[in-house]
């Protein structure tokens, strides 16, 4: 079976500063992959290349579900199939929660308003915020906003969901509610790539854990392999630092 | 008493009032046309300056800088008196609207650009990640948020345009100021000028106080 996402020789540089040194990575349908590593190691850049929020070197290649991620017309198609959840939520503050979730299906897929609304209410119920549908995002807590952001991305019925440190800007008491939603999502077979510092979540939910440092994948494997039996010294050093924290 | 008769002669004011009103109508026609065309042109200029391809943003910047530098009176005289030498002949009304619009769209472009640039980058990224086209990103996400930011400075710009319509009197446009000077000459009394001044103030005072209130609420930027 062809992998859902094929990343080949992914290189990215800002001027003379190379952020990604030719990464090769395949991700299968239904796989939940957690990306860990020190700050500045290129985790965000890696997943932001998948929907081309970051441009990358022209001798690199990313293929999502058979469509090459490039600067041309196909990009819209890729972006419609790839959902993304940001550290800073990035909800649309001038639209109600419901409208936030309805917007993309109506504009990108041409879904009828009534259908989009039914779907949006269903998703909001799934992430546990059905009662907040008519409110504006500014009135919600961080945890609630992030759950809306997840519902908004899911409304497009994406083939893969990208998460960039979805709990890093949350107050500690709200981390759990967002991770719970993500755990349930992982259980439904959605393909997920999650950049995270939540080692407990990675250990419990990931099919595969990828450790990055200095713009390279240093080591990858099952949570057991990475957390209990890391082979690389850099992985061990990183885990020692975060687990003692 | 004499002073009142000279500067605020009620019978003369009543007599010349219809003339002043017809002038006000022309002033409003010129002003509103220029404001509307300037808004559309300004939004277009702002978008091509921010997102145009190749040399387009640079050209937009040149346009904006030139028309923010040139004195409106000079531009108006060039349009009305100089262009005919190269075979381009505009009526006084069109000359006034063209000059006002060229300048207004340059200022409006900068106002829109500042408004769009004030929107957090995450809003653009979230729109793109959802697959929205650039057009929908602008229409549904960015501009509705930018509008709140640009309303105070845009209102300010409207005030400036309405004031600047008075310059149209130099190209023989029968606007409020022109009619007032005409009436003054006919009646040999400055009362119509005072009447015109009062009409300008009555027209613009409400806008000025609205801007003040809006700026207090949103914080705004003044046209230099
Ligand atoms: N716009 C940018 N310009 C220059 N350098 C950048 C930019 N964005 C990220 N970087 C650099 O790229 C490296 C990787 O960043 P990032 O992918 O955000 O790392 P991570 O998500 O692992 O913390 C960092 O060293 C960061 O400073
Ligand atoms: Mg990051």
């Amino acid at each position: 079976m062809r992998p859902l996402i094929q990343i080949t020789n992914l290189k990215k540089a800002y001027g003379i500063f190379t952020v990604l040194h030719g990464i090769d990575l395949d991700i299968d349908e239904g796989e939940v992959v957690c990306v860990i590593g020190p700050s500045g190691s290129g985790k965000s850049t890696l997943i932001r290349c998948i929907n081309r929020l970051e441009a990358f070197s022209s001798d690199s290649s990313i293929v999502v579900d058979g469509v090459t991620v490039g600067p041309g017309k196909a990009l819209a198609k890729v972006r419609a199939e790839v959902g993304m959840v940001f550290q800073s939520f990035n909800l649309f503050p001038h639209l109600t929660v419901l409208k936030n979730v309805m917007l993309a299906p109506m504009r990108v897929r041409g879904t009828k308003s009534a259908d989009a609304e039914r779907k949006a209410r269903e998703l909001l119920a799934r992430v546990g915020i059905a009662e907040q549908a008519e409110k504006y995002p500014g009135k919600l807590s961080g945890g609630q906003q992030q759950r809306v952001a997840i519902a908004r991305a899911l409304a497009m019925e994406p083939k893969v969901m990208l998460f960039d440190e979805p709990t890093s800007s949350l107050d500690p008491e709200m981390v759990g509610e967002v991770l719970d939603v993500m755990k349930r999502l992982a259980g439904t077979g959605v393909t997920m790539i999650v950049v995270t510092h939540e080692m407990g979540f990675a250990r419990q939910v990931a099919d595969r854990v990828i450790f990055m440092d200095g713009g390279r994948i240093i080591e990858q494997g099952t949570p057991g392999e990475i957390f209990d039996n890391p082979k690389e010294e850099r992985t061990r050093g990183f885990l020692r630092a975060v687990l003692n924290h | 008493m004499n002073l009142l008769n000279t500067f605020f002669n009620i019978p003369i004011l009543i007599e010349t009032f219809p003339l002043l009103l017809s002038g006000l109508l022309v002033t409003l026609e010129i002003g509103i046309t220029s404001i509307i065309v300037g808004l559309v042109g300004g939004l277009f200029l702002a978008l091509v300056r921010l997102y145009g391809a190749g040399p387009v943003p640079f050209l937009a910047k040149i346009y904006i800088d030139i028309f923010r530098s040139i004195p409106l009176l000079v531009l108006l005289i060039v349009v009305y008196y100089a262009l005919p030498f190269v075979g381009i002949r505009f009526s006084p009304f069109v000359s006034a609207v063209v000059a006002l619009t060229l300048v207004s769209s340059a200022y409006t472009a900068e106002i829109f650009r500042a408004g769009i640039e004030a929107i957090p980058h995450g809003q653009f990224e979230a729109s793109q990640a959802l697959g929205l086209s650039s057009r929908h990103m602008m229409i549904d996400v960015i501009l509705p948020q930018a509008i709140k930011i640009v309303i105070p400075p845009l209102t300010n710009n409207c005030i400036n345009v309405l004031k600047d319509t008075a310059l149209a009197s130099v190209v023989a446009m029968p606007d409020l100021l022109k009619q007032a000077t005409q009436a003054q000459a006919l009646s040999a009394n400055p009362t119509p000028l005072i009447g015109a001044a009062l009409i300008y103030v009555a027209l613009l005072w409400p806008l000025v106080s609205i801007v003040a209130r809006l700026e207090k609420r949103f914080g705004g930027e003044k046209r230099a």
Side-chain angles (χ1 to χ4, degrees):
Chain A
M1 201 182 73
R2 179 185 72 195
L4 182 62
I5 299 175
Q6 290 171 283
I7 299 173
T8 315
N9 189 30
L10 177 59
K11 286 190 239 165
K12 164 82 186 172
Y14 291 106
I16 55 158
F17 178 60
T18 302
V19 179
L20 297 176
H21 297 268
I23 289 194
D24 296 303
L25 178 64
D26 285 353
I27 290 175
D28 286 328
E29 193 158 357
E31 209 181 357
V32 176
V33 175
C34 284
V35 183
I36 62 171
S39 165
S41 58
K43 308 180 296 296
S44 297
T45 307
L46 168 64
I47 67 167
R48 289 162 57 84
C49 284
I50 295 174
N51 58 0
R52 215 178 161 90
L53 286 185
E54 304 288 350
F56 45 82
S57 168
S58 57
D59 57 350
S60 308
S61 136
I62 300 181
V63 180
V64 177
D65 199 27
V67 182
T68 300
V69 181
K73 272 222 157 68
L75 185 57
K77 211 172 141 198
V78 171
R79 284 177 171 169
E81 304 303 336
V82 178
M84 187 166 217
V85 175
F86 301 87
Q87 181 176 342
S88 50
F89 325 140
N90 297 344
L91 293 178
F92 305 134
H94 62 297
L95 299 177
T96 62
V97 162
L98 186 68
K99 290 269 167 22
N100 262 275
V101 181
M102 288 167 61
L103 180 66
M106 289 175 62
R107 294 293 184 267
V108 181
R109 301 238 193 263
T111 310
K112 293 229 167 50
S113 174
D115 296 335
E117 178 173 345
R118 190 168 342 103
K119 176 94 208 215
R121 290 195 186 278
E122 203 178 290
L123 284 166
L124 288 172
R126 234 171 95 191
V127 299
I129 26 185
E131 330 76 54
Q132 320 281 355
E134 324 300 334
K135 287 190 185 160
Y136 285 88
K139 301 277 180 228
L140 271 55
S141 73
Q144 290 172 325
Q145 288 191 48
Q146 194 59 301
R147 286 184 282 150
V148 173
I150 294 172
R152 178 177 70 175
L154 288 174
M156 288 294 287
E157 304 187 335
K159 297 221 162 69
V160 54
M161 285 282 283
L162 309 175
F163 294 83
D164 193 0
E165 298 197 32
T167 58
S168 291
S169 58
L170 295 176
D171 292 335
E173 71 270 21
M174 290 168 189
V175 170
E177 65 193 52
V178 171
L179 291 181
D180 281 343
V181 167
M182 291 170 61
K183 277 178 206 164
R184 265 185 283 137
L185 194 60
T188 63
V190 177
T191 311
M192 292 168 58
I193 306 178
V194 185
V195 173
T196 187
H197 290 300
E198 297 290 334
M199 298 303 150
F201 173 84
R203 179 187 279 276
Q204 188 187 343
V205 177
D207 297 310
R208 176 158 47 133
V209 175
I210 291 176
F211 172 69
M212 281 183 73
D213 194 9
R216 292 189 169 83
I217 293 178
I218 303 298
E219 186 170 0
Q220 54 180 312
T222 63
E225 286 165 355
I226 297 297
F227 289 117
D228 301 329
N229 201 6
K231 292 192 179 54
E232 299 292 329
E233 179 47 41
R234 272 200 268 184
T235 317
R236 268 180 247 140
F238 172 75
L239 289 173
R240 227 176 2 252
V242 292
L243 295 178
N244 290 339
H245 201 60
Chain B
M1 208 51 218
N2 208 346
L3 210 63
L4 209 61
N5 258 335
T6 306
F7 285 105
F8 210 78
N9 189 312
I10 301 287
I12 289 180
L13 188 62
I14 291 171
E15 198 186 318
T16 56
F17 201 66
L19 201 60
L20 293 185
L21 278 188
S22 79
L24 173 62
L25 209 66
V26 171
T27 286
L28 287 175
E29 274 170 14
I30 299 173
I32 290 170
T33 311
S34 306
I35 285 168
I36 291 172
V37 183
L39 274 176
V40 175
L43 179 57
F44 173 78
L45 276 170
L47 291 175
V48 299
R49 176 159 186 196
L50 284 170
Y51 309 113
V56 171
F58 180 70
L59 294 176
K61 178 183 157 27
I62 299 272
Y63 172 97
I64 290 165
D65 288 353
I66 287 177
F67 286 103
R68 293 206 310 165
S69 313
I70 193 164
L72 183 57
L73 183 54
V74 174
L75 179 62
L76 182 59
I77 287 174
V78 166
V79 168
Y80 188 69
Y81 291 105
L83 288 187
F85 285 91
V86 292
I88 304 173
R89 212 171 296 273
F90 291 135
S91 70
F93 180 83
V94 172
S95 299
V97 167
V98 164
L100 279 165
T101 301
L102 287 172
V103 170
S104 175
S105 60
Y107 280 98
T108 309
E110 284 302 88
I111 293 170
F112 275 120
R113 184 171 70 100
I116 291 169
E117 284 181 339
I119 305 302
H121 199 58
Q123 295 290 305
F124 293 84
E125 293 195 335
S127 307
Q128 288 165 345
L130 284 166
L132 292 178
S133 63
S134 310
R135 196 169 65 90
H136 279 131
M137 173 170 78
M138 277 295 147
I139 293 173
D140 292 314
V141 178
I142 305 303
L143 291 179
Q145 296 183 63
I147 282 296
K148 288 189 191 125
I149 301 168
V150 300
I151 278 179
L154 282 183
T155 314
N156 227 334
N157 187 59
C158 289
I159 293 169
N160 285 318
V161 172
L162 286 171
K163 278 184 189 168
D164 289 346
T165 55
L167 293 172
S169 55
V170 305
V171 294
M173 194 64 205
D175 74 323
L176 179 51
L177 178 59
K178 185 75 185 172
Q179 297 293 41
T181 50
Q182 210 100 30
Q184 179 217 10
L186 287 175
S187 59
N189 182 291
T191 297
L193 286 177
I194 304 296
L198 290 177
I199 292 175
Y200 277 116
V201 170
L203 177 66
L204 293 173
W205 193 336
L207 284 178
V208 168
S209 60
I210 286 174
V211 171
R213 244 180 304 158
L214 289 175
E215 279 178 345
K216 221 189 221 156
R217 251 177 65 200
F218 304 124
E221 151 200 26
K222 283 208 174 65
R223 171 167 157 182

